[in-house]
Amino acid sequence: MNFQLTSEQCELQETARRFAQKELKVVAEELEREGKPLPKAWLERYAEMGFLGINVAEDLGGMGLGNLEALLVLEEFSKISSAVAFPIFESSVGPVKAIESFAQDELKRRVVPKVCEGKMVIAVSMSEPEAGTALTDLATKAEIKGNKILINGEKRWCSGAGHAEGYVVYCRLSDERGAKGIGAVFVEKDCQGVSFGEQERLLGFRGIPSADIYFDSVEVPLENIIVEAGGFSKLMEAFDLERCGNATMALGQAAGSLDEVLDYVQERKQFGRPIVDFQAVQIKLAEMAMQVDAARLLIHRAAVNSERGHPSIYESSLAKCFANEMAREVTGNAVQLMGGYGYSKDYPMERRLRDSWGWGIAGGTIDIQKVNIASSMVGRRFNQRI
Ligand SMILES: Cc1cc2nc3c(=O)[nH]c(=O)nc-3n(C[C@H](O)[C@H](O)[C@H](O)COP(=O)(O)OP(=O)(O)OC[C@H]3O[C@@H](n4cnc5c(N)ncnc54)[C@H](O)[C@@H]3O)c2cc1C
């Protein structure tokens, strides 16, 4: 067992850190203020630097590195903000990986290189008004008619909705009930019959659009099938990696707040001395560092054990669950340590606290991760239905 990153991994991490710290703080403030997603020009900069599709195969335009490398870069960006990190998330642990892993060659070549070049944004659309945690209740229907697929239904909470050019849509591809009928189809934004609801107004996640998506007799070619009916378990396997990405986004909120609060407590004086001289502050800092480090180790374990494939449900759920809870607590402590300044929108702490809350709902709630963990521990699934 080796807890050291290789020199190449350190170099990649340092490049991402330098770029994010130097260039993206102002961008993050702007996205937060305007509530707008990262502009295309920035996406192309990310692409030039090789930050999109780090763990995607080289012949599809990626860097061909492993999951750990992708998560190292993701953490550096998410320390700045969720919004500036979101394109890295989508291109290395999100919907792009599902397409790379399961789609037919034609679709892979049509979509993945464009994402890695920063010329296309894609999103994942699973949740529905009546299917959140109970995802296998989803009702969006995709009927195969000759060489076309006809899609009808309604989706909810899709991060990227209205902005992304393409969507990995979980849907019913056969009449079989539950998970057995579920597969996934790629749908382009400009297809006839695709429309979007009003942009959601969320507690956090500003700069990451979110909306309902409506599919009204939308037709796409048969080659757009990513996973056929019966392939739900494959989609969930790819989702094990997304879970590590979600955990890293949460980690970034906490690690970014810890870095900044460490400077703050050494500068801010009360009673004529830096507040770091007070033991209560020291204890809080130490507790925050313990939590951040532990989350990072759990995430890295899941990533390293997955090599270039998908992490296990046990290790990825453990990492997500711990990181989600940890981030809410650590960012809350960072707000507290900065007093009134922590509560002010002039500083990024309150944003990190709001975003942290969201990561513990997105990608499956904290409690359902605990159900996954217990289920892996006893080696059987718990039926959630009566
Ligand atoms: C910021 C954000 C971004 C998101 N991005 C996306 C996206 O890009 N694409 C997408 O498809 N979806 C996305 N979602 C949706 C997200 O996946 C769902 O919100 C989540 O799965 C929970 O579903 P729900 O909101 O319907 O809550 P519900 O399923 O109604 O759950 C409500 C509460 O009940 C609890 N609960 C439910 N069932 C059980 C059970 N069996 N055991 C224990 N507790 C249970 C939950 O833990 C939760 O606390 C996003 C959500 C948020 C907040």
Side-chain angles (χ1 to χ4, degrees):
M1 194 181 290
N2 184 354
F3 289 100
Q4 300 300 317
L5 297 176
T6 64
S7 58
E8 289 83 7
Q9 287 166 339
C10 287
E11 207 175 302
L12 178 69
Q13 186 183 46
E14 191 45 39
T15 307
R17 183 175 298 154
R18 238 182 292 121
F19 176 82
Q21 294 286 338
K22 183 160 172 264
E23 313 240 8
L24 296 180
K25 285 188 174 167
V26 180
V27 182
E29 276 171 31
E30 198 178 306
L31 303 187
E32 178 68 16
R33 205 173 39 246
E34 309 285 329
K36 299 237 169 80
L38 192 76
K40 276 276 158 66
W42 275 104
L43 269 186
E44 290 180 16
R45 283 275 325 267
Y46 283 18
E48 278 161 24
M49 300 282 295
F51 293 137
L52 298 177
I54 292 149
N55 52 346
V56 166
E58 280 177 286
D59 70 330
L60 288 170
M63 291 265 280
L65 299 173
N67 293 334
L68 179 60
E69 283 81 356
L71 297 176
L72 290 173
V73 170
L74 184 62
E75 183 188 337
E76 294 309 320
F77 280 66
S78 63
K79 278 182 189 171
I80 308 296
S81 87
S82 302
V84 298
F86 201 64
I88 316 276
F89 176 88
E90 293 292 58
S91 68
S92 55
V93 296
V96 174
K97 288 301 281 183
I99 295 180
E100 186 197 21
S101 305
F102 308 123
Q104 289 173 32
D105 230 39
E106 189 278 332
L107 182 62
K108 278 188 207 177
R109 301 209 170 275
R110 179 149 52 94
V111 174
V112 181
K114 275 199 197 149
V115 175
C116 296
E117 285 165 24
K119 295 198 160 45
M120 188 190 235
V121 175
I122 68 172
V124 62
S125 187
M126 309 178 289
S127 308
E128 296 185 0
E130 304 305 327
T133 304
L135 185 60
T136 52
D137 283 352
L138 66 85
T140 295
K141 202 164 176 182
E143 289 169 89
I144 297 175
K145 303 224 168 207
N147 60 354
K148 300 263 185 226
I149 313 165
L150 184 70
I151 308 166
N152 280 290
E154 180 181 346
K155 291 285 178 184
R156 180 144 295 167
W157 305 128
C158 172
S159 299
H163 170 66
E165 282 95 2
Y167 298 86
V168 171
V169 181
Y170 284 39
C171 45
R172 298 217 150 266
L173 273 149
S174 84
D175 292 332
E176 288 227 64
R177 295 181 53 172
K180 289 195 180 123
I182 297 175
V185 174
F186 184 70
V187 181
E188 267 130 341
K189 178 188 181 178
D190 54 11
C191 280
Q192 205 172 0
V194 175
S195 60
F196 300 92
E198 296 263 305
Q199 282 294 319
E200 300 290 349
R201 295 176 313 124
L202 306 176
L203 175 66
F205 274 49
R206 279 178 69 76
I208 302 177
S210 173
D212 284 357
I213 313 181
Y214 308 106
F215 300 98
D216 182 6
S217 299
V218 175
E219 272 188 10
V220 297
L222 208 53
E223 302 83 66
N224 280 28
I225 291 189
I226 300 166
V227 166
E228 306 209 17
F232 186 69
S233 58
K234 278 194 194 172
L235 288 166
M236 286 298 105
E237 253 175 57
F239 205 75
D240 291 334
L241 180 60
E242 178 145 351
R243 237 182 244 125
C244 292
N246 173 306
T248 303
M249 287 295 234
L251 169 65
Q253 308 313 304
S257 67
L258 181 57
D259 285 352
E260 280 179 24
V261 93
L262 201 55
D263 291 339
Y264 183 85
V265 295
Q266 294 178 76
E267 280 161 21
R268 172 73 175 166
K269 289 198 175 110
Q270 287 294 281
F271 302 97
R273 54 208 290 221
I275 59 173
V276 72
D277 284 4
F278 301 114
Q279 202 175 41
V281 173
Q282 296 156 16
I283 288 169
K284 211 158 236 153
L285 284 178
E287 285 170 354
M288 289 161 82
M290 278 153 54
Q291 287 173 293
V292 165
D293 255 7
R296 189 178 286 122
L297 286 172
L298 285 175
I299 295 168
H300 289 187
R301 177 181 73 170
V304 169
N305 284 348
S306 71
E307 290 175 351
R308 275 150 210 243
H310 300 124
S312 76
I313 185 165
Y314 175 72
E315 292 187 350
S316 63
S317 302
L318 212 71
K320 172 169 162 39
C321 192
F322 188 84
N324 288 164
E325 289 188 326
M326 172 288 290
R328 290 176 177 183
E329 207 178 316
V330 167
T331 54
N333 280 333
V335 166
Q336 195 68 17
L337 280 174
M338 284 184 68
Y341 303 95
Y343 201 60
S344 161
K345 283 195 182 290
D346 289 342
Y347 297 87
M349 288 307 178
E350 58 83 37
R351 161 174 50 78
R352 292 196 177 106
L353 173 60
R354 288 185 283 109
D355 279 6
S356 291
W357 207 273
W359 289 112
I361 300 173
T365 62
I366 288 173
D367 281 350
I368 211 66
Q369 307 307 314
K370 291 182 180 167
V371 174
N372 287 342
I373 294 165
S375 163
S376 303
M377 287 165 74
V378 299
R380 68 180 174 89
R381 295 185 64 79
F382 300 113
N383 188 0
Q384 305 293 309
R385 296 173 199 278
I386 9 164

